[in-house]
Amino acid sequence: MERRKRRESISNSNLLFLISLVIFVAMYTVGFFRFPTSFRNLQTFVDFFNNNAPLIILTCGMSVVMIGGGIDISVGGVTGLVTMCCAVFLNGRAGSVAGSIFLALGIGLAFGALQGFLVSYLHIQPFIITLAGMFLANGLLTVIHKDPINAALPAFLKLREADIKIQWLGTVNRLGNFIPLRISYCMIIALVVVTVIAVLMKWSRFGRNLYATGGNSQSALMLGINVKRTKFFSYVLCGLLSGVAGYVFIMQTGAGNVGNASGFEMKAIASSIIGGTLLTGGVGNMIGSPIGALSLLVINEIIRSAGINSNYQAIISGLLLCVFIVLQSLVVWIRGKGSPTLPPWLQFKRDSR
Amino acid sequence: MPNDIVLEMRGICKAFPGVRALQDVDFTLRRGEIHALMGENGAGKSTLIKTLTGVYQKDSGQIDIEGRRTAFRSPHEAQANGVGTVYQEIMLCPNLSVAENMFIGREKGVFVSWREMNRRAGIILDGLSIPARPTQQLRSCSLAVQQMIAIARAVDMQCKILILDEPTSSLDEDEVQKLFALMRELKERGVGIIFVTHFLDQVYQVSDRITVLRNGELVGEYEAEKLPQVELVSKMMGKELGDVEKLKNLKEAAEDGGTPVFEAESLSSAAGVRPYDFHIQKGEVNGFTGLLGSGRSESVRAIFAADKVTGGNVRINGKRIRIRKPKDAMKRGIGYLPEDRKGDGLIADLSVRENIVLALQTMHGFFRPFSLKKARAFADEYIALLNIKTPSSDTPVHSLSGGNQQKVILARWLLIHPEYLILDEPTRGIDVGTKVEIQRLVLKLASEGVSVTFISSEIEEMLRTCSRLIVMRDRNIVGELSGEDMTQSKIMHTIAGEVTQNA
């Protein structure tokens, strides 16, 4: 059979992913040349992962739900709740590392399953339900313990300290001492999560069904997909990842605190969107999500390095998000069903067969 | 040969609250035939299809597929048993690739093998010569190709019966031909195809057999070759050709000449109206006629800009103007009584008075409300004039009868003293007495110099009130009749699109 060698028109998911990748690389390049002391340092790059693993994990969960056409704003609250519960548990008489891991995942799963059930099977607005979930999680967090509490279990402290030093990739600091590259367990967990979720969304039946559901749930139903179950599991997965993120959070900070991970749900949404996930569902790339999160962090880092008042970080992040949303809707609008009002130079080449 | 029959539906009945959608309908489909299911909107075509595919459960009757009694509980189950359906709105996911759309929802196992899926999709697409690549995004395909992909999916699921529900309504002529080629190909393979449509020309291009429904009842099953187009129309409308009543035309033809009150030149709208020309004189009553779904409502909606106008020029009293939204039309003295009384017309929870004053209030500006006294005076005047039966002008409008509700909307438009009034099915679903009242009112308005466009499904009514009829078929104007030419048989011949002989 003769192979047609025409280039495929790129899918929206991949196009938006490319855009976010370009933005990320551009941002990093700016940092690289403008602030060489920090950005030229490999450790800085790795630290983006080391220090922001919870956000990256949450962004993955958020993207999954958003691809399915939903939203979950309880993730920040659940993450915070998990840190506090784990801290209390680890300091308790029965405290153990394995137990705390189960506790973290259990809390995440419970929230995900409950919210998923309400959203998918009882058809309640996901925004409202997860808002309620967020309040619930925040409330529980303060009820369990009001003050910051340090997890002091020795086994846990050992886990916290554990990291991997790569001797052949280190950097030489200003004093001329060689410091090996440090990779924390948090980063590894984050990378594993990203990989697993990316594979799941690309190659599993669940992932493809979720894309279909988010794209057009009515069609998905007619195509024989169990839409309710698919949506349900997207929330369960997101909840589970909130649990993971919570545990990673406490591995970093070592403490349960009322303010832990507050506002992370919004950061996760922002990162997902910058990473190329559409709020309308059905479009998104799972590699884009962590890149979206990193873009946000790199911008903040640049602003910090430039010595600008940290208040501007929020403003600039906000503006960036704005630009992204406009860019995305523009792209989708342009590539949507033929828009004759657009000048030809703005129109993407469409398949005209 | 009885062996040839793949589907046999006998005595199907289905009722919805207040409506008997299907009454004792029979339908037979043979292997390798294209069987058109025809009827006006609301004739029961869709209901019949949905009882077959398990969207609805039939009240009584039996369905045999290849001799086996069946009763599907869901479209999914029907699909699994060889009944594939392709709907008017394409039920695929535009954000997925072509191959995915063909296989999603029917793979087994946890993981998806892209290579295998693309390979199999390629074979199917090539086999049916569908111009699409498996890895292509569905959204980048034309509507016709998407339609074909939906069909390919159904075919790959080993369907014995393929239902195409209005598949051509959003396709252009070229694409329709491609679709027909595919349908013929499938016919060769022995698939029984049910082709639901109201496009008359297309039926004759592909169908072997035609079943006609009307008002939920079976009119008959015919071989396409033996049923002339005009007879098909008369069967769909339920009018015998020979039965040409002489109806007295109450309205004298309006004197020609002078500038028309309203003139449109290649007007078109986003609702799918092909560009058309139209004009109406002062004091004239004209009508749009055609089968339900032929585009008559859409045409008048374009005049009022109720749908987005996409092209054309409009002149009022010879002056060129632009009407971009209904309010523009209202300002120029155009009133429009919509077909869908409940959806587009009334605000059910507001009182009769508020509903009547609404249009005038819009033109007056919402920030300069009428005093209660004034509004009440307006309302009472028109309640008396139109003889609206309501306890008071404060009664919520939803508690009125259909005929009186219609009069309320009519009052709303009369209150702005329009020069040109468009009435879309003003007499549907209302009692005979009120019907006659409305017809009289239309003629009275015309004699006072108001131009009226009147649409009705009842040809008698149109003949009684209109002095000129514009005939539509498949969203095009196909003829204009006036004076002596306005007879039932002429109208039907024009709708059918045959050369009009003397009837």
Side-chain angles (χ1 to χ4, degrees):
Chain A
M1 196 175 62
E2 173 205 7
R3 207 63 234 155
R4 284 164 285 215
K5 269 286 178 197
R6 230 141 64 69
R7 244 182 68 76
E8 299 293 343
S9 67
I10 191 167
S11 71
N12 278 349
S13 295
N14 292 340
L15 180 72
L16 292 174
F17 166 68
L18 271 185
I19 293 175
S20 65
L21 188 66
V22 166
I23 297 278
F24 171 70
V25 170
M27 288 290 170
Y28 207 88
T29 314
V30 168
F32 197 81
F33 289 109
R34 188 74 185 74
F35 309 105
T37 42
S38 73
F39 279 90
R40 208 167 283 178
N41 196 331
L42 187 60
Q43 186 69 51
T44 310
F45 184 75
V46 171
D47 278 346
F48 279 126
F49 290 92
N50 283 341
N51 301 338
N52 298 291
L55 180 61
I56 290 169
I57 293 167
L58 283 184
T59 305
C60 285
M62 186 64 79
S63 297
V64 167
V65 170
M66 277 168 62
I67 285 169
I71 191 99
D72 185 349
I73 53 175
S74 72
V75 291
V78 173
T79 304
L81 177 65
V82 166
T83 61
M84 182 59 92
C85 288
C86 286
V88 171
F89 176 79
L90 286 167
N91 287 351
R93 219 172 303 154
S96 74
V97 170
S100 66
I101 290 175
F102 277 117
L103 183 68
L105 300 186
I107 292 170
L109 272 179
F111 268 85
L114 183 65
Q115 293 176 153
F117 175 76
L118 291 171
V119 169
S120 343
Y121 289 95
L122 302 186
H123 300 287
I124 306 176
Q125 279 291 316
F127 186 85
I128 302 301
I129 282 303
T130 54
L131 184 67
M134 175 178 126
F135 289 152
L136 179 66
N138 285 340
L140 283 174
L141 170 56
T142 34
V143 166
I144 286 170
H145 208 280
K146 264 205 284 292
D147 306 312
I149 173 169
N150 278 315
L153 192 77
F156 179 72
L157 290 179
K158 217 173 185 179
L159 181 71
R160 273 200 65 196
E161 300 299 320
D163 55 16
I164 297 168
K165 295 220 162 51
I166 299 182
Q167 301 294 346
W168 45 273
L169 253 181
T171 39
V172 181
N173 73 357
R174 233 172 293 161
L175 301 173
N177 298 331
F178 179 82
I179 301 169
L181 191 70
R182 183 184 159 272
I183 294 175
S184 71
Y185 278 9
C186 301
M187 171 173 176
I188 292 166
I189 294 171
L191 289 181
V192 167
V193 165
V194 169
T195 315
V196 167
I197 299 294
V199 168
L200 192 72
M201 292 302 282
K202 175 78 181 168
W203 282 285
S204 79
R205 215 148 58 88
F206 163 76
R208 301 323 295 175
N209 287 356
L210 191 61
Y211 271 98
T213 303
N216 185 338
S217 63
Q218 191 58 40
S219 292
L221 191 68
M222 297 305 257
L223 290 175
I225 292 167
N226 190 335
V227 168
K228 288 177 181 173
R229 198 174 60 194
T230 307
K231 274 191 179 175
F232 171 72
F233 278 116
S234 76
Y235 283 93
V236 171
L237 187 58
C238 183
L240 179 69
L241 290 181
S242 309
V244 174
Y247 202 78
V248 170
F249 198 102
I250 196 169
M251 272 170 71
Q252 275 179 355
T253 62
N257 192 355
V258 171
N260 273 1
S262 76
F264 268 38
E265 63 279 343
M266 293 304 155
K267 279 187 190 165
I269 292 172
S271 305
S272 283
I273 288 172
I274 294 176
T277 310
L278 283 192
L279 262 177
T280 44
V283 175
N285 183 311
M286 289 313 299
I287 305 294
S289 299
I291 289 183
L294 290 178
S295 299
L296 209 59
L297 298 166
V298 167
I299 290 160
N300 286 350
E301 181 64 23
I302 289 175
I303 295 166
R304 210 173 55 82
S305 306
I308 299 173
N309 186 333
S310 68
N311 295 338
Y312 288 98
Q313 288 182 15
I315 294 177
I316 292 177
S317 308
L319 284 178
L320 186 82
L321 193 60
C322 231
V323 168
F324 264 92
I325 300 254
V326 171
L327 197 67
Q328 282 184 358
S329 48
L330 206 66
V331 164
V332 171
W333 177 60
I334 290 169
R335 317 183 96 219
K337 303 229 168 79
S339 45
T341 48
L342 230 70
W345 54 268
L346 254 178
Q347 278 173 6
F348 282 73
K349 272 213 191 85
R350 299 189 59 209
D351 201 26
S352 54
R353 280 211 285 170
Chain B
M1 280 193 299
N3 269 358
D4 259 4
I5 292 174
V6 268
L7 168 71
E8 195 163 18
M9 299 173 85
R10 288 278 163 267
I12 306 295
C13 294
K14 174 74 192 171
F16 296 109
V19 199
R20 285 166 105 178
L22 289 177
Q23 235 177 317
D24 203 21
V25 174
D26 297 345
F27 185 82
T28 311
L29 182 71
R30 291 157 192 80
R31 194 184 309 281
E33 82 168 353
I34 300 178
H35 195 140
L37 186 57
M38 302 281 299
E40 295 191 286
N41 286 0
K45 294 172 295 186
S46 300
T47 316
L48 186 66
I49 294 305
K50 285 176 177 166
T51 50
L52 171 61
T53 58
V55 177
Y56 298 146
Q57 303 306 313
K58 60 185 183 298
D59 296 341
S60 65
Q62 58 192 57
I63 302 175
D64 293 330
I65 292 179
E66 292 187 322
R68 258 182 317 147
R69 188 65 37 94
T70 44
F72 300 128
R73 283 183 304 273
S74 72
H76 204 189
E77 196 185 328
Q79 221 170 56
N81 285 283
V83 180
T85 314
V86 174
Y87 297 90
Q88 184 177 1
E89 322 84 63
I90 296 161
M91 286 291 183
L92 295 175
C93 293
N95 58 329
L96 304 182
S97 78
V98 168
E100 277 196 281
N101 268 297
M102 291 171 64
F103 290 104
I104 200 160
R106 51 200 195 96
E107 316 109 315
K108 307 241 153 26
V110 177
F111 288 100
V112 177
S113 162
W114 286 82
R115 188 183 298 169
E116 173 69 10
M117 188 166 76
N118 287 337
R119 191 184 62 81
R120 280 173 58 195
I123 291 170
I124 298 163
L125 292 173
D126 279 348
L128 296 171
S129 41
I130 297 170
R133 294 179 307 281
T135 49
Q136 199 176 359
Q137 285 281 298
L138 187 78
R139 77 170 78 242
S140 67
C141 301
S142 70
L143 279 179
V145 172
Q146 292 189 21
Q147 192 84 259
M148 289 178 186
I149 289 162
I151 294 173
R153 178 185 162 96
V155 171
D156 189 49
M157 292 173 81
Q158 309 301 326
C159 74
K160 299 176 280 244
I161 301 165
L162 178 63
I163 303 164
L164 302 175
D165 191 356
E166 300 272 2
T168 54
S169 51
S170 49
L171 307 185
D172 65 30
E173 194 47 42
D174 248 24
E175 295 173 325
V176 168
Q177 291 310 325
K178 279 184 204 156
L179 182 68
F180 284 174
L182 178 59
M183 281 167 71
R184 292 192 191 101
E185 160 82 33
L186 294 177
K187 179 181 145 178
E188 290 302 308
R189 296 187 183 189
V191 179
I193 300 176
I194 305 176
F195 180 37
V196 182
T197 185
H198 56 240
F199 291 98
L200 292 168
D201 299 339
Q202 295 178 357
V203 168
Y204 284 96
Q205 285 183 37
V206 284
S207 308
D208 305 309
R209 221 175 278 267
I210 300 173
T211 290
V212 179
L213 299 180
R214 187 177 63 242
N215 295 332
E217 288 174 46
L218 177 71
V219 178
E221 188 196 276
Y222 313 92
E223 282 183 38
E225 285 170 3
K226 293 183 184 150
L227 184 72
Q229 201 157 334
V230 64
E231 240 171 85
L232 173 59
V233 171
S234 85
K235 292 208 167 7
M236 285 166 71
M237 296 174 85
K239 301 272 190 290
E240 284 307 314
L241 260 185
D243 157 40
V244 184
E245 305 167 52
K246 262 292 167 201
L247 278 162
K248 178 148 170 38
N249 196 1
L250 298 177
K251 176 76 190 104
E252 294 302 312
E255 61 276 32
D256 249 351
T259 29
V261 170
F262 180 89
E263 236 182 324
E265 215 178 281
S266 57
L267 190 65
S268 61
S269 84
V273 185
R274 306 268 157 77
Y276 71 101
D277 297 342
F278 171 76
H279 67 94
I280 188 166
Q281 302 286 343
K282 189 173 170 65
E284 183 188 353
V285 182
N286 66 9
F288 279 85
T289 185
L291 294 170
L292 286 169
S294 60
R296 27 180 235 207
S297 293
E298 288 79 1
S299 300
V300 294
R301 285 175 70 89
I303 294 174
F304 195 67
D307 300 315
K308 192 171 152 46
V309 176
T310 50
N313 298 319
V314 165
R315 281 194 191 82
I316 286 184
N317 292 324
K319 231 176 76 195
R320 216 172 126 174
I321 54 153
R322 291 191 68 179
I323 297 178
R324 266 174 301 191
K325 51 183 190 290
K327 199 176 166 187
D328 296 345
M330 283 162 66
K331 280 189 187 147
R332 308 288 177 175
I334 302 178
Y336 166 63
L337 183 138
E339 182 184 19
D340 179 5
R341 186 160 66 215
K342 294 211 170 63
D344 291 345
L346 289 169
I347 301 174
D349 289 324
L350 291 186
S351 71
V352 171
R353 167 172 45 83
E354 286 162 314
N355 267 294
I356 289 179
V357 178
L358 198 61
L360 191 64
Q361 183 72 72
T362 308
M363 291 177 60
H364 197 63
F366 275 105
F367 297 105
R368 296 159 58 207
F370 294 113
S371 70
L372 187 61
K373 207 172 123 196
K374 218 168 167 185
R376 199 164 274 163
F378 282 142
D380 288 342
E381 184 191 339
Y382 279 90
I383 288 172
L385 185 76
L386 296 179
N387 194 16
I388 300 174
K389 290 183 188 66
T390 169
S392 82
S393 65
D394 289 321
T395 313
V397 87
H398 62 74
S399 63
L400 267 55
S401 75
N404 283 308
Q405 289 185 0
Q406 196 65 279
K407 284 182 183 175
V408 168
I409 308 182
L410 207 51
R412 174 194 296 168
W413 293 115
L414 294 183
L415 189 58
I416 68 168
H417 298 294
E419 269 188 90
Y420 176 29
L421 193 57
I422 303 166
L423 305 175
D424 194 353
E425 296 272 9
T427 57
R428 183 158 67 188
I430 63 182
D431 61 282
V432 182
T434 317
K435 234 176 220 181
V436 175
E437 267 180 71
I438 289 182
Q439 289 167 14
R440 282 218 189 95
L441 182 78
V442 166
L443 294 174
K444 181 164 158 274
L445 285 170
S447 69
E448 288 166 6
V450 179
S451 312
V452 182
T453 291
F454 193 89
I455 296 180
S456 169
S457 294
E458 291 172 36
I459 291 199
E460 295 91 342
E461 193 175 63
M462 301 281 279
L463 290 174
R464 214 171 294 142
T465 47
C466 304
S467 57
R468 186 160 58 94
L469 283 180
I470 291 145
V471 185
M472 299 199 68
R473 172 173 17 105
D474 303 349
R475 301 183 180 260
N476 284 313
I477 292 183
V478 290
E480 215 178 285
L481 302 171
S482 61
E484 287 297 298
D485 284 344
M486 281 176 50
T487 62
Q488 284 218 9
S489 82
K490 271 267 168 64
I491 293 171
M492 273 196 247
H493 274 99
T494 318
I495 291 176
E498 291 181 353
V499 182
T500 324
Q501 288 113 24
N502 245 348

